[in-house]
Amino acid sequence: MAKLLGINLDHSRPKGGSFIFLKPDSDIFTAYDLTEDQRMIRDTLKDFMANEVLPQTVRIESKEWDVTRNLLLKLGELGVLGIEVPEQYGGQNLDKTTAAILAEELGWQGSFACTVLADTGIGMLPIVLFGNEEQKNRFLPSIVSGKIIGAYSLTESGAGSDAKAITTKAVLREDGRAYQLNGEKIFVTNGRLADFYILFAKVGDDREITAFIVEREFPGVEVGNEEHKMGILGSSTTSVSLFNVSVPVENILGRVGEGFSIAMNTLNLGRFKLGAACLGGSRQIFYEALKYSRERKQFQVPIDTFGSIRKKLCQIAALIYGIESMVYRTAGLLDKAVSEVDLGNSRATMEAIREYAGECSIVKVWCSESNYQNAVANVEIHGGNGFMKDYSAERHLRDSVINMIFEGTNSINRLLLVKEFLKKFGMGLISEKEKMWKETTSVSPFEATNDVVLRLCTQLEGAKKVFIIVSGLIMKKFGFTLSENDNQEAVILLADCLINLYVLDSALAVYVKHRKEKDQYLTRYLFHLILPVLERDVMSLVVLGSEADQYRDAFADIRPLLSYEPENVLNLNKKITENF
Ligand SMILES: Cc1cc2nc3c(=O)[nH]c(=O)nc-3n(C[C@H](O)[C@H](O)[C@H](O)COP(=O)(O)OP(=O)(O)OC[C@H]3O[C@@H](n4cnc5c(N)ncnc54)[C@H](O)[C@@H]3O)c2cc1C
């Protein structure tokens, strides 16, 4: 494993966050590496989405829940609801890559994706990972067949980002056989459809949270009206109120007091799959944008002949390539990690996934924001029609917004991913900074080269080194105060750098591994788009990390490592569009 510096990364697989310290040509898993079986499942799902789901979009969006339920039953027949479920409970016991394929293909219809991912993701996975034998036998086979539907209920009116502030109470009855639950959950995806809720409450006066499986038919469970939302109109979102609901002790998930860990660990995979769903969403957007721009004529020519439209299409294509690169890279990391633990050891599986919590947050943030940008570009390409309900461009835009809000807002995910990174490497960064700083002063300025891979690798390596130096600088100056609310601007900048480095690293690694010409152009487009932003952000961090009068000296030292070179965008875009 080629390393950039001395932090010990020797491990059978890369440690979470270690991409920062590795040479940018490391071997990663890519969408080209899918197995025959994975491709077959993908093709089956493509057919299913095209023939069964998309034609039902109007009815799904009109909240005809029977349509959604029937589609879930059909997915059950296809066997894909049990991708992440062990075989003894009726599942397929397949890998996270296949789970990503499911999310990607579902992403072609935002509302339906939301329903299925809340059901088999954050609704069902807590039972797979933390349920006991009896709970697994009771719930999993019915979820896998699509006969029952799950939901995840954490949020309350006073507890959103601050999930620990929930006030739903669980009191153990005197006979010790059940807990009595009171409280109100809001914004529950699948609220109306669900047969059970993975619901989080505080036991007695505990500060800690406990997870319960609350069944819809328990007396005292009341489902509120559908929320009037901006998007994902065909996904049910309601409140769930609990009035003296008796929940048998057998329905405690995991241990009493373990709920927060269950809630957060469930979200790691949820965030990763949300990114994969954004890939499908963006593919659908690209397909529609391209079709429209080829058919629509103005000034007697199709609008796709205008460079301005071409630029938008190229940007969508490049962002899709970036999303795909990081989603499948992360899938590969998760699969490797999970394959190293004993089959059936759920807690070890959870720990293995946790190793890449930072990457899961990165995927969630970048994919959701790129998907949103793509949706905006699609509306623009559609002109006035983009604003009309007759076309789906406006729906994609409305649907794309929620991905930046749920499963932890993107701001919260930015804070989390930096925390993960610093927890692993924080102290190492300070000492490495000193060493690297000395090396940096002897680095000669970047030399122009016609070798594309060499150029991109050098640019990325330089950006990584500067990021390591700068984050060491920030750690030294702020120390533990970095986590204070008042210093969040610095953390957000660190997060943006980490996110952008992961995208560029993943995109370049895909190209280096498979050397497809079209990927070279898309990678270069991403570098052209992102590298200047990255360089600006590390410079901003230098200002934050230096004493007032010293940052200019620091600039002079690290500048030789920053080597953004503008592209000839006219030529580059033409090359990209040749492959459409
Ligand atoms: C359609 C929909 C479906 C949902 N589905 C579910 C579901 O199935 N289950 C479930 O439990 N929840 C669900 N949610 C809830 C969702 O996860 C929360 O809305 C989200 O976590 C944000 O919480 P909040 O709305 O209370 O916003 P707040 O926490 O009030 O945040 C408001 C703003 O402040 C920022 N902010 C808050 N705290 C900080 C901080 N410490 N530092 C910096 N910025 C901060 C946020 O980033 C945000 O920009 C859903 C929400 C929606 C809209």
Side-chain angles (χ1 to χ4, degrees), residues 323-377:
I323 297 176
E324 182 185 76
S325 305
M326 65 156 67
V327 163
Y328 283 98
R329 174 194 203 160
T330 310
L333 290 171
L334 292 170
D335 279 335
K336 242 189 195 155
V338 171
S339 71
E340 285 168 14
V341 303
D342 287 342
L343 195 70
N345 186 343
S346 310
R347 282 170 201 280
T349 303
M350 184 199 80
E351 279 308 316
I353 292 166
R354 243 201 75 73
E355 175 68 27
Y356 298 105
E359 278 82 352
C360 290
S361 284
I362 289 179
V363 166
K364 193 266 183 192
V365 172
W366 201 77
C367 298
S368 63
E369 291 177 6
S370 299
N371 187 44
Y372 170 74
Q373 286 179 47
N374 289 341
V376 171

Side-chain angles (χ1 to χ4, degrees), residues 60-71:
I60 293 172
E61 294 298 298
S62 311
K63 301 182 178 40
E64 288 189 34
W65 302 126
D66 284 350
V67 173
T68 302
R69 280 185 192 282
N70 281 333
L71 288 171

Side-chain angles (χ1 to χ4, degrees), residues 152 154-155 160-161 187 189 402 405-406 409 411-412 415 488:
Y152 170 100
L154 176 62
T155 305
S161 303
F187 299 162
T189 300
I402 188 59
I405 298 172
F406 58 17
T409 65
S411 295
I412 294 294
L415 302 179
Q488 276 187 359

